[in-house]
Amino acid sequence: MFRQVYDVIRGEISGDNARNLAATIWRNDRDSTFAGYYETARYCLAQLQQAGARAELVTFPADGKATYGTTVLQRAWDCRQASLEVLEPAAEARRLVSYPAQPFACVQGSPPTPAGGLEAEVVVVTGGGQARDYRGLKVKGKFVLTDTAAGSVHQEAKKQGAVGVISDAMATNPVVRKDPMDLPDALLWQVMRPAGDLPAFVLSPRQGKWLRGLIARRAAEGATVRVRARVDARVYDGRLEMVSGLLRGRSDQEVALMAHFAEPGANDNASGTGLCVEIVRALQALIKAGKLSRPRRGLRVWLTHEVYSLQAHAVTNPEAMVRVVAAHNLDMVGEDMARCGSVLMYQDSPDAAPSFINHLLRELLEHFRRGFYAWPNLSSSQAFFPALETPFWGNDNFISDPSIGVPSVAFINWPDRYYHTSEDTPDKLSAETLARAGALAATLVYTIANAGKSEAIALAEMVAAQAPALLEREVTAQAAKAREALAEGQDDLDERLAHGLNRLEYLRQRESAALRSVNVLLSATESKQIAPRLGELEGELQAAHATAQRRYRRLLGDLVRSHGRAEPQQPAARRVRQDERHAAAIVPRRLLIGPVSPGRFPEAAKALLNRAAKGGLPGRLLFWVDGRRSLLEVGRLAALEEDKAPPPARRLLQWFEGMKLGGALAE
């Protein structure tokens, strides 16, 4: 279905072009100024237009007030110069960091200092984001030095009377960055949103260790360390700009390709933005040369401030989302994976938005798996290229949220040794990775964009063909859990039988919905024409489900007999509690679309949500709220998605009341 398309695209797409585009975007964005972001937006606009797309800037107010759902857009920030230097002790006087020579040295959002700078003592604070962190410390009129990101500290530090923040934070990762000193001289990218309360600077782990040692030695002598900070910056009401481009198709429907800029790394995320532009160029060149036909649907490109501008666009231009039948997000796709410690992760659309796009991506990756896993040897010219399937986790493909309704998948290189640090530079980019990821992404979006009736049937066949193996893996996983539980002496086999059967039924329904999702590609007449085929495939799916059920029952029977236990039975019906009846009577509906951040809710709402979350709640409850399901059913489905037991009804009720009080839900 896609092999020929892939071969054609792979021959045209240029990893070198994508890398050069990314390097230019990185040069504009690395200072984290809105002036640089404006340059990037106009550069990408011009490149898309040059590639043959119709493109425009879509703007939103960057004023710290504009709110879309619960998403508040940060204020614009520009900085000309900044520096932090040690004044006392005079014997140790030196400049620690300066901006823009070290673009990460000044935290984005830092307000300016007085013209002559700001001189003050430095005090070490552990944490710094809460009032209790300052007990026993005198920080009024002083800088606080913390190993926590400035964005989590500046507000409380100001309340305590501090005049500035110095952070030597370095996030760690158990795989590629186990200790801050693994990158001793790197600076961590830090942001204060929507605007900063205090001037803030970033030190490397090595500099932070030196400064902490100096402060400790001076304190032992009854003396202090003083610094001088200068920040020539402005925080102002500006614009948040995203680029929207269209490579036209033969209908009003669209398939979207997304990436974000406005972050200072070459991989995160100049790589995704540059690759989007290169994909448009390559597809237009192939269409113009007659090697690919103009697709049935247009290819929409959104280049965004991650989440922020796309959320604003979804709220203010919902009709733009309605036209899009599927989307692919390119987030960090240019890694030199051996150097950065990465794999290419491909991320599904969430279960609440079942779609054939997951199956197409899986098939595409599986089909070319031999090309990804190249055994290194002396004669090989092909780099090792590992790929890993992962569940939905968000980023700009949050538009998969059914309240927006665009099933989306994503590519992301992860983990990354240099993520969000000053060492995420163009030398970490790989033209080979960009070319391969670009060919795969372009094949996916073009295949969907050009799909008609025959392709829809092929996609439905693909969904049905993957179902037996999916259900078999679930049987194996549930049986393994039962085996572990039995070995640990747990006596809940009746409940495990019921849960396993519920999971199998849940997956059957999900795959059935994915099967029917191909109708979005068809006219009403075409949908009627393929209905008999979909019915036949539905029957095959049901047969695979019945086989999986029988096998699961059989495996559990074998397991309990081997332990001399009674055969598990479906649990007896129990009395329905009052809170369960209450939750079953509530049918919630969403008032806000897209991501919901309770941080802006009233305190009473946050208190309810905190109580509800004790012991854990499923992570995507909101995705299952559709105005038709009861609250109890929402909890059941969200728990099944995570392969967990349903949460207690009382906690669902607390969650609902908290979301209702916060303005996100209503009955």
Side-chain angles (χ1 to χ4, degrees):
M1 179 182 180
F2 46 72
R3 185 186 184 94
Q4 185 176 2
V5 170
Y6 176 88
D7 289 343
V8 170
I9 292 173
R10 186 68 175 89
E12 174 63 29
I13 204 158
S14 169
D16 287 325
N17 282 350
R19 185 171 56 184
N20 291 338
L21 289 161
T24 299
I25 293 164
W26 170 80
R27 283 191 289 272
N28 289 333
D29 283 0
R30 62 179 171 172
D31 293 346
S32 294
T33 64
F34 272 63
Y37 298 162
Y38 298 150
E39 289 295 319
T40 289
R42 280 152 184 76
Y43 173 72
C44 292
L45 179 75
Q47 291 296 317
L48 285 172
Q49 290 171 337
Q50 184 177 328
R54 296 201 300 264
E56 62 179 345
L57 295 178
V58 182
T59 63
F60 305 99
D63 59 5
K65 300 174 184 176
T67 305
Y68 303 90
T70 59
T71 300
V72 183
L73 305 190
Q74 69 181 110
R75 293 191 78 194
W77 181 80
D78 286 333
C79 186
R80 292 184 59 196
Q81 289 183 328
S83 63
L84 180 68
E85 55 189 323
V86 173
L87 295 180
E88 297 177 8
E92 298 290 352
R94 67 188 66 184
R95 176 167 288 183
L96 292 171
V97 288
S98 66
Y99 177 99
Q102 297 163 285
F104 287 39
C106 188
V107 176
Q108 187 192 58
S110 292
T113 59
L118 186 62
E119 297 183 13
E121 180 187 339
V122 185
V123 176
V124 175
V125 175
T126 300
Q130 301 183 55
R132 65 173 180 263
D133 298 335
Y134 296 86
R135 290 173 187 163
L137 297 176
K138 296 179 180 179
V139 300
K140 187 175 181 179
K142 302 174 183 179
F143 273 84
V144 297
L145 171 60
T146 174
D147 61 358
T148 303
S152 301
V153 171
H154 65 110
Q155 292 176 340
E156 186 60 37
K158 184 178 182 181
K159 290 179 185 177
Q160 299 293 329
V163 296
V165 175
I166 304 169
S167 171
D168 62 353
M170 177 57 67
T172 57
N173 180 287
V175 178
V176 294
R177 198 196 298 165
K178 296 181 180 181
D179 185 272
M181 291 302 287
D182 286 346
L183 290 180
D185 299 313
L187 306 183
L188 185 71
W189 179 52
Q190 300 190 34
V191 175
M192 296 187 291
R193 287 174 176 159
D197 293 286
L198 296 174
F201 290 86
V202 180
L203 301 183
S204 70
R206 194 192 305 275
Q207 290 174 314
K209 183 178 180 180
W210 175 84
L211 184 57
R212 288 168 184 275
L214 179 62
I215 293 170
R217 291 193 299 275
R218 293 283 286 178
E221 299 166 358
T224 62
V225 173
R226 292 181 63 83
V227 296
R228 178 165 56 211
R230 291 190 177 94
V231 179
D232 180 5
R234 66 180 184 129
V235 182
Y236 61 99
D237 292 347
R239 304 179 308 282
L240 203 71
E241 295 181 339
M242 64 176 277
V243 182
S244 180
L246 178 67
L247 199 59
R248 66 179 179 85
R250 293 179 279 116
S251 73
D252 291 336
Q253 282 187 326
E254 298 171 358
V255 179
L257 198 60
M258 308 172 291
H260 68 268
F261 56 94
E263 290 197 14
N267 270 309
D268 190 22
N269 194 44
S271 63
T273 306
L275 187 55
C276 276
V277 175
E278 170 58 15
I279 287 172
V280 170
R281 183 208 66 78
L283 289 178
Q284 176 65 2
L286 292 168
I287 291 168
K288 188 174 181 180
K291 296 180 180 179
L292 292 177
S293 61
R294 184 159 299 281
R296 185 169 175 167
R297 295 164 193 84
L299 175 62
R300 172 65 60 183
V301 177
W302 286 317
L303 306 178
T304 74
H305 291 239
E306 187 175 22
V307 177
Y308 289 92
S309 48
L310 196 55
Q311 166 69 354
H313 193 48
V315 171
T316 57
N317 300 297
E319 69 284 350
M321 300 294 161
V322 172
R323 291 193 296 269
V324 180
V325 301
H328 194 345
N329 182 32
L330 300 181
D331 188 320
M332 295 177 64
V333 288
E335 307 270 334
D336 178 332
M337 288 191 275
R339 187 173 181 183
C340 299
S342 304
V343 300
L344 179 68
M345 293 186 173
Y346 52 108
Q347 182 184 146
D348 278 354
S349 184
D351 285 7
S355 172
F356 62 83
I357 192 173
N358 293 336
H359 304 75
L360 176 58
L361 182 60
R362 197 175 300 124
E363 188 83 5
L364 185 62
L365 268 293
E366 184 63 32
H367 187 73
F368 294 100
R369 189 166 295 277
R370 290 184 181 178
F372 300 149
Y373 295 96
W375 291 101
N377 56 62
L378 293 176
S379 62
S380 174
S381 61
Q382 193 172 39
F384 184 66
F385 198 88
L388 176 67
E389 182 178 1
T390 66
F392 173 85
W393 65 24
N395 304 73
D396 273 333
N397 54 321
F398 75 86
I399 60 174
S400 296
D401 181 337
S403 68
I404 299 171
V406 182
S408 311
V409 294
F411 281 166
I412 181 168
N413 284 128
W414 191 256
D416 176 15
R417 176 177 172 83
Y418 308 103
Y419 173 71
H420 276 189
T421 76
S422 55
E423 294 189 20
D424 181 1
T425 48
D427 59 300
K428 313 300 191 307
L429 295 173
S430 162
E432 179 68 13
T433 300
L434 286 162
R436 293 194 193 186
L440 288 165
T443 300
L444 180 87
V445 295
Y446 181 84
T447 297
I448 297 172
N450 203 39
K453 186 170 71 172
S454 62
E455 290 81 10
I457 291 172
L459 288 167
E461 290 278 0
M462 197 177 290
V463 174
Q466 291 180 21
L470 167 73
L471 294 169
E472 177 59 28
R473 286 194 299 271
E474 186 66 24
V475 167
T476 302
Q478 294 298 330
K481 290 180 180 179
R483 187 178 302 108
E484 291 171 7
L486 201 57
E488 293 171 1
Q490 298 178 30
D491 191 18
D492 59 353
L493 288 178
D494 290 353
E495 288 75 14
R496 289 191 177 277
L497 172 65
H499 176 73
L501 293 175
N502 287 338
R503 269 283 294 177
L504 289 170
E505 173 59 18
Y506 167 85
L507 293 175
R508 184 198 68 78
Q509 292 183 12
R510 187 191 72 184
E511 296 305 286
S512 177
L515 190 69
R516 296 191 300 272
S517 72
V518 300
N519 282 307
V520 74
L521 304 171
L522 305 174
S523 66
T525 299
E526 289 171 327
S527 291
K528 287 181 180 179
Q529 290 171 346
I530 75 163
R533 175 65 72 87
L534 295 187
E536 183 179 346
L537 294 174
E538 184 80 39
E540 293 178 6
L541 177 57
Q542 290 174 353
H545 172 250
T547 299
Q549 282 184 313
R550 289 193 298 271
R551 178 166 165 74
Y552 181 56
R553 288 180 184 275
R554 196 164 59 238
L555 287 177
L556 255 62
D558 292 343
L559 179 62
V560 297
R561 282 191 295 273
S562 70
H563 284 72
R565 304 286 290 275
E567 291 277 349
Q569 303 294 326
Q570 285 282 20
R574 59 174 179 77
R575 184 178 178 182
V576 178
R577 297 191 305 269
Q578 184 176 353
D579 57 0
E580 291 173 331
R581 287 196 295 271
H582 188 187
I586 293 174
V587 179
R589 57 186 176 87
R590 293 182 66 166
L591 301 180
L592 301 177
I593 72 168
V596 172
S597 173
R600 292 181 56 80
F601 285 3
E603 290 303 316
K606 288 191 280 189
L608 279 167
L609 293 173
N610 287 336
R611 286 203 297 273
K614 288 181 179 178
L617 279 175
R620 286 191 285 276
L621 283 168
L622 271 176
F623 279 26
W624 293 98
V625 173
D626 63 356
R628 298 185 300 276
R629 298 184 180 104
S630 73
L631 179 61
L632 198 64
E633 179 68 359
V634 166
R636 187 185 74 85
L637 289 169
L640 281 170
E641 180 178 14
E642 296 183 5
D643 193 14
K644 295 177 180 177
R650 62 180 174 78
R651 289 202 283 116
L652 286 174
L653 290 166
Q654 290 170 336
W655 174 80
F656 171 72
E657 290 301 325
M659 298 300 282
K660 183 179 178 181
L661 189 57
L665 293 178
E667 285 191 67

